[in-house]
Amino acid sequence: MVNKWLSVATLFAFIAAPAGAVDFNTAASDITGVIEQAKEDAGEDKAEVKSIEALYRAERDCVNFRFKPDGPNVSEAVWLRSTEYREECHYGGDPRHGGGRVCHEVPGWTNRERVQVTLEGRDQLFPWEDEIFEVCLEGRWLSSYAVRVSHDYRADRSGGDFTMIAKRRIPGRHDRNGLTARVNFPGTGVTASFFDKWASFYGGEQIRIKAKLRRNIKNWPDSTLGSKEITLGTAESYTIDFSEFADKLRSGKKYYVEYGFERIGKVSKRKYLKTGDSPDSVYQEALVPMAFAF
């Protein structure tokens, strides 16, 4: 069986040789050959042959290995398990009295494989980054995938041990929770303030923020007062002014912003990620001073 090597920027699949030396006495290919030979024999002898059809499937067992910036480069070892099944069908009974095609699944071999992932040659990750690899056993076949990475990796395999060799650093995904927000009511206006947790790592780059100002309505779908989008140079904080929608505010009601953002530059992959909602802020209408005549 041939070992295969694949290397891509953000996603690769390394489909290797069988997980073990398993004797497939009833493999699907063998059964297909039996059927075809039976058909040929039937044609020569002009005799009726009731063939047995078979469909093959195997359980798929997978595990994700997550590598953190401050964690080890060698994962724990995990055992995967996959049972193979085949469907056997035959014709039985008199079709005039309920007979016909009968099928049932038959379990075959159960394969087990100890798997482990080692990373080599990778650079230091940013604090918000991690790298995730998935290894799957299906029947006697092992495969590995890069789910989320910040390097271009080349895969090597020996049995159930996978070694991922970093070739170069590539932009990874930014932290969707790296930007927090709150709603403010300055004077008669309304604004949303955003605070960038990782601004110091993105100096000289830009950020694009999309936000909706929404009212929290109990036991009813929330309403949207307005939406805006801004693109700014990276800083520790940003402000979006929603004051043109202030006439829609109602005193004593709760408001929040639903938002997401993307990084524009070389540090992270340019991808818009929806963050979620800010905490609620209660709007209190300011009292207008009254003049009294004496």
Side-chain angles (χ1 to χ4, degrees), residues 263-280:
R263 304 284 188 179
I264 304 173
K266 297 181 179 180
V267 174
S268 294
K269 182 191 307 182
R270 182 167 180 173
K271 181 177 179 61
Y272 177 82
L273 297 177
K274 184 176 179 181
T275 296
D277 302 334
S278 73
D280 290 336

Side-chain angles (χ1 to χ4, degrees), residues 15-249:
I15 303 176
V22 182
D23 181 13
F24 277 70
N25 294 322
T26 55
S29 59
D30 294 336
I31 294 173
T32 302
V34 170
I35 296 171
E36 294 302 321
Q37 185 61 51
K39 290 180 179 178
E40 292 178 7
D41 294 343
E44 292 175 0
D45 299 338
K46 304 297 183 183
E48 182 181 359
V49 176
K50 296 183 179 180
S51 62
I52 296 178
E53 300 176 3
L55 296 177
Y56 167 85
R57 77 172 181 89
E59 294 173 338
R60 183 177 177 86
D61 191 15
C62 299
V63 59
N64 280 354
F65 295 101
R66 181 185 179 193
F67 296 87
K68 298 182 179 181
D70 55 352
N73 288 336
V74 180
S75 75
E76 295 182 355
V78 176
W79 282 92
L80 298 180
R81 177 180 180 275
S82 176
T83 299
E84 299 165 352
Y85 296 87
R86 68 180 187 275
E87 183 182 49
E88 291 188 352
C89 299
H90 65 276
Y91 291 90
D94 190 335
R96 295 170 299 178
H97 302 287
R101 193 167 186 262
V102 180
C103 298
H104 62 280
E105 240 185 12
V106 179
W109 291 97
T110 294
N111 304 282
R112 296 176 178 83
E113 187 72 18
R114 175 189 177 278
V115 296
Q116 192 171 25
V117 173
T118 301
L119 304 186
E120 290 186 359
R122 69 170 181 163
D123 296 330
Q124 179 63 37
L125 301 181
F126 291 113
W128 63 87
E129 290 182 321
D130 58 13
E131 296 190 300
I132 300 176
F133 299 85
E134 182 182 60
V135 178
C136 296
L137 177 66
E138 187 169 5
R140 58 174 178 167
W141 298 94
L142 274 174
S143 55
S144 69
Y145 306 88
V147 177
R148 183 169 70 234
V149 294
S150 297
H151 293 80
D152 181 8
Y153 281 101
R154 175 171 61 86
D156 189 12
R157 178 198 161 196
S158 176
D161 294 322
F162 291 85
T163 301
M164 310 301 180
I165 303 169
K167 297 167 58 180
R168 62 186 178 90
R169 190 75 157 78
I170 60 175
R173 192 179 73 172
H174 68 267
D175 181 9
R176 71 169 65 245
N177 299 311
L179 196 69
T180 56
R182 75 162 180 251
V183 174
N184 313 293
F185 304 105
T188 58
V190 54
T191 64
S193 298
F194 299 87
F195 307 93
D196 196 335
K197 180 179 180 180
W198 307 116
S200 61
F201 292 90
Y202 291 94
E205 299 194 349
Q206 291 184 310
I207 187 171
R208 182 173 71 96
I209 305 172
K210 295 171 64 176
K212 294 180 181 179
L213 178 62
R214 309 201 72 197
R215 175 183 164 188
N216 187 337
I217 305 176
K218 187 176 181 180
N219 299 325
W220 197 258
D222 294 349
S223 63
T224 299
L225 280 66
S227 60
K228 283 194 171 183
E229 178 180 327
I230 61 170
T231 300
L232 299 169
T234 302
E236 291 185 356
S237 63
Y238 319 94
T239 299
I240 296 181
D241 191 352
F242 288 100
S243 293
E244 63 263 46
F245 309 110
D247 60 339
K248 299 180 181 180
L249 297 174

